[in-house]
Amino acid sequence: MISKICPRYYRRYISLPLLGPILNEFTMWLHKRGYIANSIARSLLDSVRIDRFLHRHGAQHLGDITQKLLDRVCCYYLSRQPHIPSTVRQVKKFLKETR
């Protein structure tokens, strides 16, 4: 799905150390919920920053990502880039439903 929405950056997204392995599934999950391509592309772009934050704060594997750590991402970006907490909430829902 990523390859259709953002073909130019496909490799960049799937190579993210933490979220990369789940981004195709996450993208399909968003699409099934009615998100349009532009919104999904924004979520993919946000995922780069989210992944970077999680990695800097100790997460080495997908299993290291906790609700508390995701809450820290939201707090950090709330005033800096307010669209990122929305993507974090979607990631939380996705992980809760699928993992």
Side-chain angles (χ1 to χ4, degrees), residues 2 7-8 38 54:
I2 296 172
R8 188 175 186 185
N38 286 345
L54 293 168

Side-chain angles (χ1 to χ4, degrees), residues 1-56:
M1 183 93 195
I2 296 172
S3 61
K4 291 180 182 177
I5 294 174
C6 300
R8 188 175 186 185
Y9 300 106
Y10 175 76
R11 290 186 194 275
R12 177 183 184 197
Y13 292 135
I14 64 164
S15 67
L16 293 173
L18 299 168
L19 300 178
I22 64 165
L23 280 183
N24 264 322
E25 187 181 355
F26 177 61
T27 302
M28 291 173 56
W29 183 86
L30 290 171
H31 179 70
K32 287 179 184 176
R33 277 154 186 74
Y35 286 80
I36 62 170
N38 286 345
S39 295
I40 295 171
R42 168 48 67 184
S43 294
L44 289 169
L45 186 59
D46 292 347
S47 68
V48 175
R49 288 197 167 96
I50 295 166
D51 193 273
R52 200 174 297 144
F53 183 96
L54 293 168
H55 199 261
R56 277 194 318 254

Side-chain angles (χ1 to χ4, degrees), residues 46-95:
D46 292 347
S47 68
V48 175
R49 288 197 167 96
I50 295 166
D51 193 273
R52 200 174 297 144
F53 183 96
L54 293 168
H55 199 261
R56 277 194 318 254
H57 288 86
Q60 299 298 316
H61 307 283
L62 187 61
D64 296 337
I65 300 173
T66 63
Q67 293 293 319
K68 186 176 179 179
L69 190 52
L70 290 171
D71 289 342
R72 287 179 64 193
V73 178
C74 285
C75 289
Y76 179 80
Y77 282 110
L78 189 60
S79 63
R80 291 168 177 86
Q81 294 180 325
H83 52 86
I84 291 179
S86 176
T87 301
V88 172
R89 286 189 293 276
Q90 293 306 318
V91 169
K92 280 183 183 183
K93 288 178 188 177
F94 168 76
L95 291 173

